[in-house]
Amino acid sequence: MRFSNSFIPTTKEVPNDAVITSHQLMIRAGMVKALGSGIYSVLPFGLKVFQKVMNIIREEMNAIGGQEFYLPGINPVELWQETGRVESFGDIMFHIKNRQLILAPTHEEVITSIAKAHIRSYKELPQIWYQIQSKFRNEPRPKSGVIRSRQFTMKDSYSLDSTSEGLDKSYNLHAEAYKKIYTRSGLKFFIIGASSGAMGGSGSQEFMIESDAGEDSIILCESCDYAANLEIATSNKSKINFGSSKKKEKIFTPNIKTIDQLSNYLKVHVEQCAKSVVYISGKQAYLIMMVGNDQVNESKLKSVIGTEFRPCTDEELVELFSAEAGSIGPVGVSKNIKVIADNRLKDSTNLITGANINDYHLLNVDLLRDCKIDHYSDLRQVEKDEPCKLCNKQLRLTTGIEVGHIFKLGTKYSSALKANFLDENGKENPIIMGSYGIGVERIAACYIEQNHDEFGIIWNKALSPFDFHIIVVNVKLAKVVEVADNLYKSLSEKYSILYDDRSSVSAGVKFKDADLLGIPFQIIVGDRNLENNSVEIKIRRTNERIIVPIDSVLEKIKNIYE
Ligand code: ATP
Ligand code: MG
């Protein structure tokens, strides 16, 4: 393609809201153009990259037996009411036509409705159905360019199985396909255990790239494979042990409100002071007990007390415990309050807790002897440098961007929509489902996050919009143009070429644009090298420059490319 005829609006200007590198470079390279907050037009140079990503995805999905669909982006709202997801998506979902229609943020409902209409027997299972299509999500703070936009392209696939072993198999096929997709795309990625969140279901893993621009906190072990979203991460931080039970005592602790104040005042280890935090979920009050200054992890708490919870107000605390925050504890609480303690506290002795009387604490609380713990659960947030639960080496806390997510949904949607099949015994069962998503633009943006320098993008062969970038240095010299034209013609037979034949810009601008656009190989045709019957090949990634005689240029290029 001749640059002079093409629309690649490179620019030095980046809008103020483009703070992360991939966002800046995609705009500067004329790949995308913002139309509104979180809404992007994809321009030709960008579309070529996205299409390459989609092709890789399509090939790997077909390789695991996926069948491609194209589902509507506009859905009747009733379908989503049946699964309760109008509520769970809330403001993220776009409603149109007086709330009769929605713009689909994902497609479990549509897929399940098709399965319900057509799948009858276990003999028709398993199935893997996928599509590559636009999704609409009214992200509250769209940022980071196409990494988080309000309309984006997702490959979403769904597995339908008759047994849980079948689901495991479909899930593992997807995990393998995803690894191939990211590897072929050139991403350095890792896989983490994740929370299933609002999607429901049992198992789930996220494919992440490490990045300062990421919004997910991740715990990683440098020594072994352990990696998990902070939402579910656990460590080997041990249970506490303060020796054999002693006699419980009430002590005066004037104006002591925090765990740090308490441990300083009593000159005890902070871990001996058990913290009590009270939450309300629905009509139920929960007293959550944690070791010393361990933080409650809200995702873990959600999975124990339900998604809709809030901290107890000061007035409610007084009503429920006859004491204020800072003096609350588990001993003698009303039966209506559920007490849940973190696993590190299991059957602990000699703890210091609030006495449920303002300015008083209890010494030597024995959880078995002195209170009723409804149950123990893992509720704490892992901190950096804690020991890995698998190998005991130090854990690292970092941030990442999710590029893909695979879920074992189970029967959440098939039960809600009554998508059943008849098993071998003629009994009706809900289809066992999995759901698997990959963001197309996000892969391209994450690739740029990992592959750029101060001058621009550095594409690999798999994602580059063109194989070669030919640059004519002096358009006014007929000989130079002739050599470049010929090279363009003969290379075009086998490769895709961006041919910078522009007479409107200087050679310096062309070189800058070439580095910005980041095509892996540049072929520079200029008078100086032509005097020696040569052209220059520049490898974008290494900046290596090779002078090649014209008569062997095609062969040399072939070698370099292969
Ligand atoms: P996130 O936590 O980043 O919002 P998600 O958990 O909502 O992602 P899924 O619903 O699992 O994402 O969607 C599957 C994939 O779609 C994600 O892994 C990501 O690559 C992509 N994706 C999700 N939301 C967006 C968005 N707003 N813009 C671009 N890509 C997105
Ligand atoms: Mg999201």
Side-chain angles (χ1 to χ4, degrees), residues 445-495:
C446 287
Y447 175 88
I448 297 174
E449 287 293 322
Q450 292 182 336
N451 297 275
H452 66 266
D453 61 14
E454 59 194 301
F455 305 109
I457 304 169
I458 305 175
W459 293 114
N460 59 10
K461 290 198 304 188
L463 299 194
S464 182
F466 295 94
D467 300 327
F468 291 98
H469 191 149
I470 300 177
I471 299 162
V472 193
V473 179
N474 349 61
V475 276
K476 294 212 176 85
L477 299 179
K479 168 78 179 147
V480 175
V481 174
E482 187 193 321
V483 171
D485 276 357
N486 286 339
L487 208 52
Y488 172 53
K489 276 192 206 104
S490 39
L491 281 177
S492 293
E493 285 168 20
K494 204 167 163 226
Y495 302 104

Short mmCIF file of all heavy atoms in Angstrom, two decimals, residues 445-495:
data_model
loop_
_atom_site.label_atom_id
_atom_site.label_comp_id
_atom_site.label_asym_id
_atom_site.label_seq_id
_atom_site.Cartn_x
_atom_site.Cartn_y
_atom_site.Cartn_z
N ALA A 445 -3.45 -3.80 22.73
CA ALA A 445 -2.94 -2.74 23.60
C ALA A 445 -1.90 -3.29 24.58
O ALA A 445 -0.87 -2.67 24.83
CB ALA A 445 -4.09 -2.08 24.35
N CYS A 446 -2.17 -4.47 25.12
CA CYS A 446 -1.22 -5.06 26.06
C CYS A 446 0.08 -5.42 25.35
O CYS A 446 1.17 -5.30 25.91
CB CYS A 446 -1.81 -6.29 26.74
SG CYS A 446 -3.07 -5.85 27.94
N TYR A 447 -0.04 -5.86 24.10
CA TYR A 447 1.17 -6.13 23.32
C TYR A 447 2.01 -4.85 23.26
O TYR A 447 3.22 -4.88 23.48
CB TYR A 447 0.82 -6.62 21.91
CG TYR A 447 2.06 -6.79 21.08
CD1 TYR A 447 2.78 -7.99 21.09
CD2 TYR A 447 2.58 -5.72 20.36
CE1 TYR A 447 3.98 -8.11 20.39
CE2 TYR A 447 3.77 -5.83 19.66
CZ TYR A 447 4.46 -7.03 19.68
OH TYR A 447 5.65 -7.14 19.00
N ILE A 448 1.36 -3.72 22.98
CA ILE A 448 2.10 -2.46 22.88
C ILE A 448 2.70 -2.08 24.23
O ILE A 448 3.84 -1.61 24.30
CB ILE A 448 1.20 -1.32 22.33
CG1 ILE A 448 0.75 -1.66 20.91
CG2 ILE A 448 1.93 0.02 22.36
CD1 ILE A 448 -0.27 -0.69 20.33
N GLU A 449 1.94 -2.32 25.31
CA GLU A 449 2.51 -2.05 26.65
C GLU A 449 3.84 -2.78 26.82
O GLU A 449 4.77 -2.27 27.41
CB GLU A 449 1.54 -2.49 27.76
CG GLU A 449 0.31 -1.61 27.94
CD GLU A 449 0.65 -0.21 28.46
OE1 GLU A 449 1.55 -0.10 29.30
OE2 GLU A 449 0.01 0.75 28.00
N GLN A 450 3.91 -3.98 26.28
CA GLN A 450 5.12 -4.81 26.48
C GLN A 450 6.16 -4.63 25.38
O GLN A 450 7.28 -5.09 25.53
CB GLN A 450 4.72 -6.29 26.54
CG GLN A 450 3.93 -6.65 27.78
CD GLN A 450 3.60 -8.14 27.84
OE1 GLN A 450 3.57 -8.83 26.83
NE2 GLN A 450 3.35 -8.63 29.05
N ASN A 451 5.78 -4.02 24.26
CA ASN A 451 6.70 -3.94 23.12
C ASN A 451 6.72 -2.54 22.51
O ASN A 451 6.02 -2.29 21.52
CB ASN A 451 6.31 -4.97 22.04
CG ASN A 451 6.40 -6.40 22.53
OD1 ASN A 451 7.45 -7.01 22.50
ND2 ASN A 451 5.27 -6.92 23.01
N HIS A 452 7.48 -1.67 23.12
CA HIS A 452 7.62 -0.32 22.56
C HIS A 452 8.94 0.24 23.06
O HIS A 452 9.57 -0.33 23.96
CB HIS A 452 6.45 0.56 23.03
CG HIS A 452 6.48 0.81 24.51
ND1 HIS A 452 5.78 0.04 25.42
CD2 HIS A 452 7.16 1.70 25.25
CE1 HIS A 452 6.03 0.47 26.65
NE2 HIS A 452 6.87 1.46 26.57
N ASP A 453 9.36 1.36 22.46
CA ASP A 453 10.49 2.11 23.03
C ASP A 453 10.13 3.59 22.93
O ASP A 453 8.98 3.92 22.60
CB ASP A 453 11.81 1.75 22.35
CG ASP A 453 11.81 2.06 20.85
OD1 ASP A 453 10.90 2.79 20.39
OD2 ASP A 453 12.71 1.57 20.15
N GLU A 454 11.11 4.47 23.19
CA GLU A 454 10.76 5.89 23.20
C GLU A 454 10.29 6.39 21.84
O GLU A 454 9.67 7.44 21.73
CB GLU A 454 11.97 6.71 23.67
CG GLU A 454 13.16 6.47 22.76
CD GLU A 454 14.47 6.97 23.34
OE1 GLU A 454 14.57 8.17 23.62
OE2 GLU A 454 15.38 6.14 23.49
N PHE A 455 10.59 5.63 20.77
CA PHE A 455 10.24 6.11 19.42
C PHE A 455 8.89 5.58 18.93
O PHE A 455 8.32 6.12 17.99
CB PHE A 455 11.33 5.70 18.43
CG PHE A 455 12.69 6.17 18.85
CD1 PHE A 455 13.64 5.26 19.29
CD2 PHE A 455 12.98 7.52 18.87
CE1 PHE A 455 14.88 5.71 19.72
CE2 PHE A 455 14.23 7.97 19.29
CZ PHE A 455 15.19 7.06 19.73
N GLY A 456 8.42 4.50 19.52
CA GLY A 456 7.12 4.01 19.07
C GLY A 456 6.90 2.54 19.36
O GLY A 456 7.52 1.95 20.25
N ILE A 457 6.01 1.97 18.54
CA ILE A 457 5.59 0.58 18.72
C ILE A 457 6.65 -0.34 18.09
O ILE A 457 7.32 0.05 17.14
CB ILE A 457 4.23 0.35 18.02
CG1 ILE A 457 3.19 1.34 18.56
CG2 ILE A 457 3.74 -1.09 18.21
CD1 ILE A 457 1.88 1.38 17.76
N ILE A 458 6.78 -1.55 18.59
CA ILE A 458 7.66 -2.54 17.97
C ILE A 458 6.83 -3.79 17.71
O ILE A 458 6.66 -4.63 18.60
CB ILE A 458 8.86 -2.87 18.88
CG1 ILE A 458 9.60 -1.58 19.26
CG2 ILE A 458 9.80 -3.87 18.19
CD1 ILE A 458 10.73 -1.77 20.27
N TRP A 459 6.27 -3.90 16.51
CA TRP A 459 5.41 -5.07 16.22
C TRP A 459 6.25 -6.32 15.99
O TRP A 459 7.40 -6.26 15.56
CB TRP A 459 4.56 -4.82 14.96
CG TRP A 459 3.53 -3.75 15.14
CD1 TRP A 459 3.48 -2.55 14.50
CD2 TRP A 459 2.40 -3.80 16.02
NE1 TRP A 459 2.38 -1.83 14.94
CE2 TRP A 459 1.70 -2.58 15.87
CE3 TRP A 459 1.90 -4.74 16.93
CZ2 TRP A 459 0.55 -2.27 16.59
CZ3 TRP A 459 0.75 -4.43 17.64
CH2 TRP A 459 0.09 -3.23 17.48
N ASN A 460 5.64 -7.45 16.26
CA ASN A 460 6.21 -8.72 15.82
C ASN A 460 5.53 -9.09 14.49
O ASN A 460 4.59 -8.41 14.06
CB ASN A 460 6.01 -9.81 16.89
CG ASN A 460 4.54 -10.05 17.21
OD1 ASN A 460 3.65 -9.55 16.52
ND2 ASN A 460 4.26 -10.80 18.26
N LYS A 461 5.97 -10.16 13.91
CA LYS A 461 5.42 -10.54 12.61
C LYS A 461 3.93 -10.90 12.72
O LYS A 461 3.14 -10.66 11.83
CB LYS A 461 6.19 -11.72 12.01
CG LYS A 461 7.59 -11.31 11.58
CD LYS A 461 8.22 -12.30 10.61
CE LYS A 461 8.29 -13.70 11.14
NZ LYS A 461 9.06 -14.61 10.29
N ALA A 462 3.58 -11.50 13.85
CA ALA A 462 2.20 -12.00 13.99
C ALA A 462 1.17 -10.88 14.00
O ALA A 462 0.08 -11.02 13.46
CB ALA A 462 2.08 -12.83 15.26
N LEU A 463 1.48 -9.75 14.63
CA LEU A 463 0.48 -8.69 14.77
C LEU A 463 0.73 -7.50 13.85
O LEU A 463 -0.15 -6.64 13.71
CB LEU A 463 0.42 -8.19 16.22
CG LEU A 463 0.03 -9.19 17.31
CD1 LEU A 463 -0.31 -8.44 18.59
CD2 LEU A 463 -1.14 -10.06 16.89
N SER A 464 1.91 -7.40 13.26
CA SER A 464 2.21 -6.20 12.46
C SER A 464 1.23 -6.04 11.31
O SER A 464 0.92 -7.00 10.59
CB SER A 464 3.63 -6.29 11.91
OG SER A 464 3.91 -5.10 11.20
N PRO A 465 0.75 -4.81 11.11
CA PRO A 465 -0.20 -4.57 10.02
C PRO A 465 0.42 -4.82 8.65
O PRO A 465 -0.30 -5.12 7.70
CB PRO A 465 -0.55 -3.09 10.17
CG PRO A 465 -0.12 -2.71 11.54
CD PRO A 465 0.99 -3.61 11.92
N PHE A 466 1.73 -4.67 8.54
CA PHE A 466 2.42 -4.93 7.27
C PHE A 466 3.69 -5.71 7.59
O PHE A 466 4.24 -5.61 8.67
CB PHE A 466 2.82 -3.61 6.59
CG PHE A 466 1.64 -2.78 6.16
CD1 PHE A 466 1.14 -1.78 7.01
CD2 PHE A 466 1.02 -2.99 4.93
CE1 PHE A 466 0.04 -1.02 6.63
CE2 PHE A 466 -0.08 -2.22 4.55
CZ PHE A 466 -0.57 -1.24 5.40
N ASP A 467 4.18 -6.46 6.56
CA ASP A 467 5.42 -7.21 6.77
C ASP A 467 6.65 -6.29 6.66
O ASP A 467 7.59 -6.41 7.43
CB ASP A 467 5.55 -8.33 5.72
CG ASP A 467 4.39 -9.32 5.80
OD1 ASP A 467 3.89 -9.53 6.93
OD2 ASP A 467 3.97 -9.85 4.76
N PHE A 468 6.63 -5.40 5.64
CA PHE A 468 7.78 -4.52 5.41
C PHE A 468 7.32 -3.09 5.22
O PHE A 468 6.21 -2.83 4.75
CB PHE A 468 8.55 -4.95 4.15
CG PHE A 468 9.25 -6.27 4.32
CD1 PHE A 468 8.67 -7.44 3.84
CD2 PHE A 468 10.48 -6.34 4.95
CE1 PHE A 468 9.30 -8.67 4.01
CE2 PHE A 468 11.13 -7.56 5.10
CZ PHE A 468 10.54 -8.72 4.64
N HIS A 469 8.22 -2.20 5.55
CA HIS A 469 7.97 -0.77 5.39
C HIS A 469 9.09 -0.23 4.49
O HIS A 469 10.24 -0.18 4.92
CB HIS A 469 8.01 -0.11 6.78
CG HIS A 469 7.54 1.29 6.82
ND1 HIS A 469 6.93 1.84 7.92
CD2 HIS A 469 7.57 2.30 5.90
CE1 HIS A 469 6.61 3.10 7.69
NE2 HIS A 469 7.00 3.40 6.46
N ILE A 470 8.75 0.09 3.25
CA ILE A 470 9.77 0.63 2.34
C ILE A 470 9.74 2.16 2.42
O ILE A 470 8.66 2.77 2.37
CB ILE A 470 9.51 0.19 0.88
CG1 ILE A 470 9.54 -1.34 0.77
CG2 ILE A 470 10.55 0.81 -0.06
CD1 ILE A 470 9.22 -1.86 -0.63
N ILE A 471 10.90 2.75 2.55
CA ILE A 471 10.96 4.21 2.65
C ILE A 471 11.82 4.76 1.49
O ILE A 471 12.98 4.35 1.33
CB ILE A 471 11.60 4.63 3.99
CG1 ILE A 471 10.74 4.11 5.15
CG2 ILE A 471 11.77 6.14 4.07
CD1 ILE A 471 11.47 4.08 6.47
N VAL A 472 11.23 5.64 0.73
CA VAL A 472 12.02 6.33 -0.31
C VAL A 472 12.59 7.59 0.34
O VAL A 472 11.83 8.45 0.80
CB VAL A 472 11.15 6.79 -1.49
CG1 VAL A 472 12.04 7.20 -2.66
CG2 VAL A 472 10.21 5.72 -1.91
N VAL A 473 13.92 7.70 0.34
CA VAL A 473 14.51 8.84 1.02
C VAL A 473 14.38 10.10 0.17
O VAL A 473 13.92 11.13 0.64
CB VAL A 473 15.99 8.56 1.36
CG1 VAL A 473 16.62 9.77 2.05
CG2 VAL A 473 16.10 7.32 2.24
N ASN A 474 14.78 10.01 -1.11
CA ASN A 474 14.70 11.21 -1.94
C ASN A 474 13.75 10.98 -3.12
O ASN A 474 14.12 10.38 -4.11
CB ASN A 474 16.07 11.63 -2.51
CG ASN A 474 17.20 10.85 -1.87
OD1 ASN A 474 17.26 9.61 -1.96
ND2 ASN A 474 18.08 11.56 -1.22
N VAL A 475 12.54 11.50 -2.97
CA VAL A 475 11.51 11.29 -4.01
C VAL A 475 11.83 12.04 -5.29
O VAL A 475 11.24 11.78 -6.33
CB VAL A 475 10.11 11.75 -3.54
CG1 VAL A 475 9.45 10.67 -2.74
CG2 VAL A 475 10.19 13.05 -2.80
N LYS A 476 12.77 12.99 -5.22
CA LYS A 476 13.05 13.81 -6.41
C LYS A 476 14.03 13.11 -7.34
O LYS A 476 14.22 13.52 -8.48
CB LYS A 476 13.57 15.17 -6.00
CG LYS A 476 12.52 15.99 -5.25
CD LYS A 476 12.66 17.49 -5.50
CE LYS A 476 11.57 18.26 -4.83
NZ LYS A 476 11.90 18.57 -3.40
N LEU A 477 14.69 12.07 -6.86
CA LEU A 477 15.68 11.39 -7.70
C LEU A 477 15.03 10.20 -8.38
O LEU A 477 14.63 9.22 -7.73
CB LEU A 477 16.88 10.93 -6.86
CG LEU A 477 17.67 12.06 -6.16
CD1 LEU A 477 18.82 11.50 -5.35
CD2 LEU A 477 18.19 13.07 -7.20
N ALA A 478 14.93 10.28 -9.70
CA ALA A 478 14.21 9.26 -10.47
C ALA A 478 14.77 7.86 -10.23
O ALA A 478 14.01 6.88 -10.08
CB ALA A 478 14.27 9.59 -11.96
N LYS A 479 16.08 7.74 -10.15
CA LYS A 479 16.72 6.44 -9.96
C LYS A 479 16.28 5.80 -8.62
O LYS A 479 15.96 4.61 -8.55
CB LYS A 479 18.25 6.65 -10.03
CG LYS A 479 19.09 5.49 -9.58
CD LYS A 479 19.18 4.41 -10.65
CE LYS A 479 20.07 3.27 -10.16
NZ LYS A 479 19.69 1.96 -10.62
N VAL A 480 16.26 6.63 -7.60
CA VAL A 480 15.86 6.15 -6.27
C VAL A 480 14.41 5.65 -6.30
O VAL A 480 14.09 4.55 -5.83
CB VAL A 480 16.02 7.26 -5.20
CG1 VAL A 480 15.50 6.81 -3.86
CG2 VAL A 480 17.47 7.69 -5.11
N VAL A 481 13.55 6.46 -6.91
CA VAL A 481 12.14 6.11 -6.98
C VAL A 481 11.96 4.83 -7.79
O VAL A 481 11.16 3.95 -7.41
CB VAL A 481 11.31 7.28 -7.57
CG1 VAL A 481 9.85 6.86 -7.77
CG2 VAL A 481 11.39 8.50 -6.66
N GLU A 482 12.72 4.71 -8.85
CA GLU A 482 12.58 3.52 -9.72
C GLU A 482 12.95 2.25 -8.94
O GLU A 482 12.21 1.25 -8.96
CB GLU A 482 13.49 3.68 -10.94
CG GLU A 482 13.29 2.59 -11.98
CD GLU A 482 14.43 2.62 -13.01
OE1 GLU A 482 14.87 3.72 -13.41
OE2 GLU A 482 14.89 1.52 -13.38
N VAL A 483 14.07 2.31 -8.23
CA VAL A 483 14.49 1.13 -7.45
C VAL A 483 13.43 0.79 -6.40
O VAL A 483 13.02 -0.36 -6.23
CB VAL A 483 15.87 1.38 -6.78
CG1 VAL A 483 16.20 0.27 -5.79
CG2 VAL A 483 16.96 1.49 -7.84
N ALA A 484 12.95 1.83 -5.72
CA ALA A 484 11.96 1.60 -4.66
C ALA A 484 10.66 1.04 -5.24
O ALA A 484 10.07 0.09 -4.69
CB ALA A 484 11.70 2.89 -3.90
N ASP A 485 10.22 1.62 -6.36
CA ASP A 485 8.99 1.13 -7.01
C ASP A 485 9.11 -0.34 -7.37
O ASP A 485 8.19 -1.14 -7.13
CB ASP A 485 8.70 1.93 -8.30
CG ASP A 485 7.97 3.24 -8.01
OD1 ASP A 485 7.66 3.48 -6.82
OD2 ASP A 485 7.73 4.01 -8.96
N ASN A 486 10.26 -0.68 -7.97
CA ASN A 486 10.46 -2.08 -8.38
C ASN A 486 10.45 -3.02 -7.18
O ASN A 486 9.85 -4.10 -7.22
CB ASN A 486 11.78 -2.24 -9.14
CG ASN A 486 11.65 -1.66 -10.54
OD1 ASN A 486 10.52 -1.52 -11.05
ND2 ASN A 486 12.75 -1.29 -11.15
N LEU A 487 11.12 -2.57 -6.14
CA LEU A 487 11.17 -3.39 -4.92
C LEU A 487 9.75 -3.58 -4.36
O LEU A 487 9.35 -4.68 -3.96
CB LEU A 487 12.04 -2.65 -3.90
CG LEU A 487 12.78 -3.44 -2.86
CD1 LEU A 487 13.60 -4.57 -3.48
CD2 LEU A 487 13.72 -2.51 -2.07
N TYR A 488 8.99 -2.49 -4.35
CA TYR A 488 7.61 -2.52 -3.86
C TYR A 488 6.79 -3.53 -4.67
O TYR A 488 6.08 -4.37 -4.10
CB TYR A 488 7.02 -1.11 -3.95
CG TYR A 488 5.53 -1.03 -3.67
CD1 TYR A 488 4.99 -1.57 -2.49
CD2 TYR A 488 4.66 -0.40 -4.55
CE1 TYR A 488 3.64 -1.49 -2.24
CE2 TYR A 488 3.30 -0.31 -4.30
CZ TYR A 488 2.79 -0.87 -3.13
OH TYR A 488 1.45 -0.78 -2.88
N LYS A 489 6.96 -3.47 -6.02
CA LYS A 489 6.18 -4.38 -6.86
C LYS A 489 6.56 -5.83 -6.61
O LYS A 489 5.70 -6.68 -6.39
CB LYS A 489 6.38 -4.05 -8.34
CG LYS A 489 5.46 -2.94 -8.80
CD LYS A 489 5.44 -2.80 -10.32
CE LYS A 489 5.07 -1.37 -10.68
NZ LYS A 489 6.22 -0.57 -11.13
N SER A 490 7.86 -6.10 -6.61
CA SER A 490 8.22 -7.53 -6.50
C SER A 490 7.95 -8.08 -5.08
O SER A 490 7.48 -9.21 -4.93
CB SER A 490 9.67 -7.79 -6.93
OG SER A 490 10.49 -6.75 -6.49
N LEU A 491 8.18 -7.25 -4.07
CA LEU A 491 7.90 -7.75 -2.71
C LEU A 491 6.40 -7.94 -2.45
O LEU A 491 5.99 -8.82 -1.70
CB LEU A 491 8.47 -6.80 -1.65
CG LEU A 491 9.97 -6.90 -1.38
CD1 LEU A 491 10.39 -5.85 -0.37
CD2 LEU A 491 10.33 -8.29 -0.85
N SER A 492 5.59 -7.11 -3.12
CA SER A 492 4.14 -7.17 -2.89
C SER A 492 3.54 -8.51 -3.31
O SER A 492 2.46 -8.88 -2.87
CB SER A 492 3.43 -6.06 -3.65
OG SER A 492 3.79 -4.83 -3.10
N GLU A 493 4.26 -9.21 -4.19
CA GLU A 493 3.73 -10.52 -4.61
C GLU A 493 3.63 -11.47 -3.44
O GLU A 493 2.77 -12.34 -3.39
CB GLU A 493 4.62 -11.12 -5.71
CG GLU A 493 4.41 -10.44 -7.04
CD GLU A 493 5.48 -10.80 -8.05
OE1 GLU A 493 6.16 -11.84 -7.88
OE2 GLU A 493 5.65 -10.03 -9.02
N LYS A 494 4.60 -11.34 -2.53
CA LYS A 494 4.63 -12.30 -1.43
C LYS A 494 4.30 -11.70 -0.05
O LYS A 494 3.82 -12.40 0.83
CB LYS A 494 6.02 -12.93 -1.38
CG LYS A 494 5.99 -14.27 -0.71
CD LYS A 494 7.21 -15.11 -0.87
CE LYS A 494 7.12 -16.18 0.20
NZ LYS A 494 8.34 -16.37 0.89
N TYR A 495 4.56 -10.41 0.08
CA TYR A 495 4.43 -9.79 1.41
C TYR A 495 3.47 -8.61 1.35
O TYR A 495 3.20 -8.10 0.27
CB TYR A 495 5.79 -9.30 1.90
CG TYR A 495 6.85 -10.38 1.98
CD1 TYR A 495 7.85 -10.47 1.01
CD2 TYR A 495 6.83 -11.30 3.02
CE1 TYR A 495 8.82 -11.46 1.10
CE2 TYR A 495 7.80 -12.29 3.11
CZ TYR A 495 8.79 -12.37 2.14
OH TYR A 495 9.74 -13.34 2.22
#
